[in-house]
Amino acid sequence: MSEKKGAAGEQLSHVDESGNLRMVDVSGKDETDRRALARTEVLLAPATMDLLVRQALPKGDVLAVAKVAGILAAKRTHELIPLCHPLMLSYVDVSFEIDQEGCRVVIFAEAHTSGRTGLEMEALMAAQVAALTIYDMCKAVQKNIVIADCRLLRKSGGKSGLYEAPELKG
């Protein structure tokens, strides 16, 4: 079988010479300090936002539960994304900015490790699961909640070095 090539003609990292999927071998890479920061947001109706801020939703303290869910998700990313490496995380945090006027909760998820592979997926997973938890805890009072704009803001470490989202550079 011919080699699988990417758009730029390079050998795909997760496909072997026979076209079979594989986990990338990172054993030859140097361990470096790695960090990643992701964000997403949850858009709520004004009445739902008011209940969230007052901690008056039927399921309880939404942000406390969403924080724990996000941290747990980061730790289990390799169980859900098939070709992700299990990582020994040294730090994970999920934080929230409440934009009451804009009726949105902005979620930031940060992860750190010292290792041979990046942890962008762990930060993204933490942000998304925190958002889904907010959705779950608010759905009794609002059905049209929107989860939007999930993206990597920053990552550092490894051979590729620093990445910052374009809006952070200027």
Side-chain angles (χ1 to χ4, degrees), residues 44-132:
L44 301 170
T48 307
M49 178 59 79
D50 179 61
L51 290 169
L52 183 140
V53 168
R54 292 189 296 114
Q55 295 186 5
L57 283 154
K59 289 190 174 185
D61 187 345
V62 172
L63 298 183
V65 175
K67 180 179 184 97
V68 173
I71 291 168
L72 286 172
K75 293 164 64 173
R76 299 187 77 174
T77 299
H78 70 281
E79 294 175 12
L80 298 171
I81 307 294
L83 301 177
C84 280
H85 293 81
L87 298 178
M88 182 63 67
L89 299 173
S90 55
Y91 175 82
V92 178
D93 191 29
V94 176
S95 60
F96 307 95
E97 284 182 8
I98 304 297
D99 175 5
Q100 206 164 350
E101 187 175 301
C103 293
R104 66 188 182 132
V105 179
V106 182
I107 302 164
F108 296 94
E110 184 175 2
H112 301 179
T113 193
S114 179
R116 293 184 166 102
T117 188
L119 67 167
E120 298 95 307
M121 296 309 299
E122 286 73 10
L124 289 162
M125 181 70 78
Q128 284 291 81
V129 170
L132 288 168

Side-chain angles (χ1 to χ4, degrees), residues 123-146:
L124 289 162
M125 181 70 78
Q128 284 291 81
V129 170
L132 288 168
T133 302
I134 292 170
Y135 187 105
D136 178 58
M137 294 190 70
C138 294
K139 71 184 180 190
V141 299
Q142 182 184 349
K143 301 293 185 230
N144 64 339
I145 297 166
V146 174

